[in-house]
Short mmCIF file of all heavy atoms in Angstrom, two decimals:
data_model
loop_
_atom_site.label_atom_id
_atom_site.label_comp_id
_atom_site.label_asym_id
_atom_site.label_seq_id
_atom_site.Cartn_x
_atom_site.Cartn_y
_atom_site.Cartn_z
N HIS A 690 -57.97 52.27 82.07
CA HIS A 690 -58.95 51.16 82.29
C HIS A 690 -60.23 51.45 81.50
O HIS A 690 -60.78 50.59 80.82
CB HIS A 690 -59.28 50.99 83.76
CG HIS A 690 -60.07 49.80 84.10
ND1 HIS A 690 -59.75 48.90 85.05
CD2 HIS A 690 -61.25 49.31 83.58
CE1 HIS A 690 -60.64 47.94 85.13
NE2 HIS A 690 -61.58 48.19 84.24
N ARG A 691 -60.69 52.69 81.57
CA ARG A 691 -61.89 53.10 80.86
C ARG A 691 -61.72 52.95 79.35
O ARG A 691 -62.60 52.48 78.66
CB ARG A 691 -62.30 54.54 81.18
CG ARG A 691 -62.82 54.67 82.60
CD ARG A 691 -63.26 56.08 82.89
NE ARG A 691 -62.26 56.74 83.69
CZ ARG A 691 -62.31 58.06 84.05
NH1 ARG A 691 -63.32 58.79 83.63
NH2 ARG A 691 -61.36 58.59 84.78
N LEU A 692 -60.54 53.39 78.82
CA LEU A 692 -60.29 53.28 77.39
C LEU A 692 -60.29 51.81 76.97
O LEU A 692 -60.86 51.44 75.91
CB LEU A 692 -58.97 53.95 77.02
CG LEU A 692 -58.95 55.46 77.14
CD1 LEU A 692 -57.53 55.97 76.89
CD2 LEU A 692 -59.95 56.12 76.23
N ASN A 693 -59.66 50.95 77.72
CA ASN A 693 -59.61 49.52 77.40
C ASN A 693 -61.04 48.92 77.44
O ASN A 693 -61.38 48.10 76.60
CB ASN A 693 -58.66 48.76 78.35
CG ASN A 693 -57.25 48.82 77.92
OD1 ASN A 693 -56.92 48.39 76.81
ND2 ASN A 693 -56.37 49.39 78.70
N GLU A 694 -61.84 49.33 78.41
CA GLU A 694 -63.22 48.83 78.52
C GLU A 694 -64.05 49.25 77.32
O GLU A 694 -64.84 48.47 76.79
CB GLU A 694 -63.87 49.32 79.82
CG GLU A 694 -63.33 48.70 81.08
CD GLU A 694 -63.72 47.22 81.19
OE1 GLU A 694 -64.86 46.83 80.81
OE2 GLU A 694 -62.84 46.43 81.63
N VAL A 695 -63.88 50.51 76.84
CA VAL A 695 -64.58 51.00 75.66
C VAL A 695 -64.16 50.14 74.43
O VAL A 695 -65.00 49.73 73.64
CB VAL A 695 -64.34 52.47 75.44
CG1 VAL A 695 -64.85 52.93 74.07
CG2 VAL A 695 -65.04 53.27 76.51
N CYS A 696 -62.84 49.92 74.28
CA CYS A 696 -62.37 49.09 73.16
C CYS A 696 -63.01 47.72 73.20
O CYS A 696 -63.53 47.26 72.16
CB CYS A 696 -60.85 48.94 73.23
SG CYS A 696 -59.91 50.43 72.86
N SER A 697 -63.05 47.12 74.36
CA SER A 697 -63.72 45.78 74.46
C SER A 697 -65.20 45.85 74.18
O SER A 697 -65.70 44.95 73.49
CB SER A 697 -63.47 45.24 75.87
OG SER A 697 -62.09 44.97 76.09
N LEU A 698 -65.87 46.86 74.69
CA LEU A 698 -67.30 46.99 74.46
C LEU A 698 -67.60 47.08 72.94
O LEU A 698 -68.48 46.37 72.45
CB LEU A 698 -67.82 48.29 75.13
CG LEU A 698 -69.28 48.65 74.87
CD1 LEU A 698 -70.21 47.69 75.61
CD2 LEU A 698 -69.55 50.10 75.27
N LEU A 699 -66.85 47.87 72.23
CA LEU A 699 -67.08 48.00 70.79
C LEU A 699 -66.74 46.74 70.05
O LEU A 699 -67.50 46.30 69.21
CB LEU A 699 -66.27 49.19 70.25
CG LEU A 699 -66.92 50.56 70.28
CD1 LEU A 699 -67.40 50.97 71.67
CD2 LEU A 699 -65.99 51.61 69.70
N LYS A 700 -65.61 46.14 70.36
CA LYS A 700 -65.20 44.88 69.68
C LYS A 700 -66.21 43.78 69.91
O LYS A 700 -66.53 43.04 69.00
CB LYS A 700 -63.81 44.47 70.12
CG LYS A 700 -63.35 43.21 69.39
CD LYS A 700 -62.05 42.72 69.96
CE LYS A 700 -61.64 41.41 69.29
NZ LYS A 700 -62.55 40.30 69.51
N GLU A 701 -66.68 43.67 71.12
CA GLU A 701 -67.56 42.53 71.50
C GLU A 701 -69.00 42.71 70.98
O GLU A 701 -69.76 41.74 70.83
CB GLU A 701 -67.58 42.33 73.02
CG GLU A 701 -66.25 41.79 73.52
CD GLU A 701 -66.10 41.90 75.03
OE1 GLU A 701 -67.12 42.14 75.71
OE2 GLU A 701 -64.96 41.72 75.50
N ASN A 702 -69.42 43.94 70.71
CA ASN A 702 -70.83 44.19 70.37
C ASN A 702 -71.08 44.63 68.94
O ASN A 702 -72.26 44.79 68.57
CB ASN A 702 -71.40 45.21 71.36
CG ASN A 702 -71.56 44.59 72.71
OD1 ASN A 702 -72.48 43.82 72.97
ND2 ASN A 702 -70.67 44.96 73.63
N ILE A 703 -70.03 44.92 68.20
CA ILE A 703 -70.21 45.28 66.77
C ILE A 703 -69.45 44.24 65.98
O ILE A 703 -68.24 44.16 66.04
CB ILE A 703 -69.72 46.73 66.51
CG1 ILE A 703 -70.46 47.67 67.43
CG2 ILE A 703 -69.92 47.06 65.06
CD1 ILE A 703 -69.90 49.11 67.43
N SER A 704 -70.18 43.43 65.26
CA SER A 704 -69.66 42.22 64.66
C SER A 704 -68.46 42.46 63.72
O SER A 704 -67.58 41.66 63.62
CB SER A 704 -70.74 41.45 63.93
OG SER A 704 -71.23 42.24 62.81
#
Side-chain angles (χ1 to χ4, degrees):
H690 189 130
R691 290 183 257 176
L692 292 174
N693 276 300
E694 289 291 321
V695 168
C696 290
S697 294
L698 175 72
L699 272 54
K700 181 186 176 298
E701 291 167 13
N702 290 285
I703 302 171
S704 64

